[in-house]
Amino acid sequence: ILVLIPASAWGFTTPSVSKNHGVFYGLIASDSEIVFGGEFGFTNALAVCAALEDKVKIGLKYELNSSVAILGGMIDSSPYIGLNGATALGKDLSGLGELDFTINSSKVNLFYNMGLKFNLPQNFDLRGGLRGNLGEGNQVLFALGVGYKY
């Protein structure tokens, strides 16, 4: 069933983690799928992440530095591991990317997203880009949404 998910990477997040702070986001993809998610930092390096689309994803993010984080957790009953990265492209513009591997029924699937995040006033941002998967049912979608950092 997991290979039928059009795109299961998180919603264009940065690797940065801050203790007692986090982000909420909402996206709509080109197949009209809506994604809600967020994260919360327990320490300055470790955060819990969750996303809700047609499946529930929950995991941990460990910030290696401000540009790279390691992710791991579960998508329903399937484990995943991944890398999350970001780079500043301007004062308020960042390039974001994520690559996740998961195993379901002895099949390895690769999920990815590549996008941009533009910071707006009052801790809001616009985020969007391409989301996709490689494996059975290869698909690439465009997603666009907003985020709120607290």
PDB file of all heavy atoms in Angstrom, residues 2 14 16 22 37 61 63 79 129 143:
ATOM      1  N   LEU A   2       2.010   1.218   0.694  1.00  0.00           N
ATOM      2  CA  LEU A   2       2.858   2.403   0.790  1.00  0.00           C
ATOM      3  C   LEU A   2       3.295   2.900  -0.580  1.00  0.00           C
ATOM      4  O   LEU A   2       3.378   4.100  -0.796  1.00  0.00           O
ATOM      5  CB  LEU A   2       4.084   2.092   1.650  1.00  0.00           C
ATOM      6  CG  LEU A   2       5.063   3.248   1.836  1.00  0.00           C
ATOM      7  CD1 LEU A   2       4.380   4.385   2.567  1.00  0.00           C
ATOM      8  CD2 LEU A   2       6.268   2.774   2.599  1.00  0.00           C
ATOM      9  N   THR A  14      13.199  22.694   6.933  1.00  0.00           N
ATOM     10  CA  THR A  14      14.632  22.938   7.059  1.00  0.00           C
ATOM     11  C   THR A  14      15.212  21.990   8.100  1.00  0.00           C
ATOM     12  O   THR A  14      14.483  21.458   8.933  1.00  0.00           O
ATOM     13  CB  THR A  14      14.919  24.387   7.498  1.00  0.00           C
ATOM     14  OG1 THR A  14      14.429  24.570   8.819  1.00  0.00           O
ATOM     15  CG2 THR A  14      14.277  25.396   6.552  1.00  0.00           C
ATOM     16  N   SER A  16      17.049  22.865  10.571  1.00  0.00           N
ATOM     17  CA  SER A  16      17.247  23.585  11.834  1.00  0.00           C
ATOM     18  C   SER A  16      16.264  23.156  12.910  1.00  0.00           C
ATOM     19  O   SER A  16      15.076  22.988  12.647  1.00  0.00           O
ATOM     20  CB  SER A  16      17.109  25.091  11.621  1.00  0.00           C
ATOM     21  OG  SER A  16      18.075  25.543  10.721  1.00  0.00           O
ATOM     22  N   GLY A  22       9.152  25.394  17.051  1.00  0.00           N
ATOM     23  CA  GLY A  22       8.853  24.497  15.952  1.00  0.00           C
ATOM     24  C   GLY A  22       8.190  25.212  14.806  1.00  0.00           C
ATOM     25  O   GLY A  22       8.249  26.427  14.683  1.00  0.00           O
ATOM     26  N   GLY A  37       1.368  19.274   8.659  1.00  0.00           N
ATOM     27  CA  GLY A  37       2.461  18.712   9.439  1.00  0.00           C
ATOM     28  C   GLY A  37       3.084  19.736  10.361  1.00  0.00           C
ATOM     29  O   GLY A  37       2.675  20.895  10.395  1.00  0.00           O
ATOM     30  N   LYS A  61      13.930  14.117  14.148  1.00  0.00           N
ATOM     31  CA  LYS A  61      14.914  14.827  13.340  1.00  0.00           C
ATOM     32  C   LYS A  61      16.083  15.177  14.246  1.00  0.00           C
ATOM     33  O   LYS A  61      15.900  15.724  15.332  1.00  0.00           O
ATOM     34  CB  LYS A  61      14.319  16.113  12.775  1.00  0.00           C
ATOM     35  CG  LYS A  61      15.334  16.930  11.977  1.00  0.00           C
ATOM     36  CD  LYS A  61      14.903  18.353  11.707  1.00  0.00           C
ATOM     37  CE  LYS A  61      13.671  18.474  10.892  1.00  0.00           C
ATOM     38  NZ  LYS A  61      13.424  19.868  10.448  1.00  0.00           N
ATOM     39  N   GLU A  63      19.516  17.365  14.123  1.00  0.00           N
ATOM     40  CA  GLU A  63      20.263  18.368  13.378  1.00  0.00           C
ATOM     41  C   GLU A  63      21.762  18.126  13.528  1.00  0.00           C
ATOM     42  O   GLU A  63      22.299  18.215  14.629  1.00  0.00           O
ATOM     43  CB  GLU A  63      19.914  19.764  13.879  1.00  0.00           C
ATOM     44  CG  GLU A  63      20.677  20.864  13.180  1.00  0.00           C
ATOM     45  CD  GLU A  63      20.397  22.247  13.753  1.00  0.00           C
ATOM     46  OE1 GLU A  63      19.373  22.422  14.451  1.00  0.00           O
ATOM     47  OE2 GLU A  63      21.209  23.141  13.503  1.00  0.00           O
ATOM     48  N   PRO A  79       9.206   1.411   8.549  1.00  0.00           N
ATOM     49  CA  PRO A  79      10.255   2.321   8.998  1.00  0.00           C
ATOM     50  C   PRO A  79      10.828   3.125   7.835  1.00  0.00           C
ATOM     51  O   PRO A  79      10.795   2.687   6.684  1.00  0.00           O
ATOM     52  CB  PRO A  79      11.315   1.384   9.573  1.00  0.00           C
ATOM     53  CG  PRO A  79      11.128   0.118   8.833  1.00  0.00           C
ATOM     54  CD  PRO A  79       9.657   0.014   8.543  1.00  0.00           C
ATOM     55  N   GLY A 129       7.443  23.288  -4.066  1.00  0.00           N
ATOM     56  CA  GLY A 129       8.403  22.655  -4.950  1.00  0.00           C
ATOM     57  C   GLY A 129       7.880  21.326  -5.460  1.00  0.00           C
ATOM     58  O   GLY A 129       6.679  21.099  -5.532  1.00  0.00           O
ATOM     59  N   ALA A 143       3.845  20.932  -5.164  1.00  0.00           N
ATOM     60  CA  ALA A 143       3.101  21.275  -3.947  1.00  0.00           C
ATOM     61  C   ALA A 143       3.411  22.715  -3.556  1.00  0.00           C
ATOM     62  O   ALA A 143       4.530  23.190  -3.746  1.00  0.00           O
ATOM     63  CB  ALA A 143       3.475  20.327  -2.803  1.00  0.00           C
TER      64      ALA A 143
END
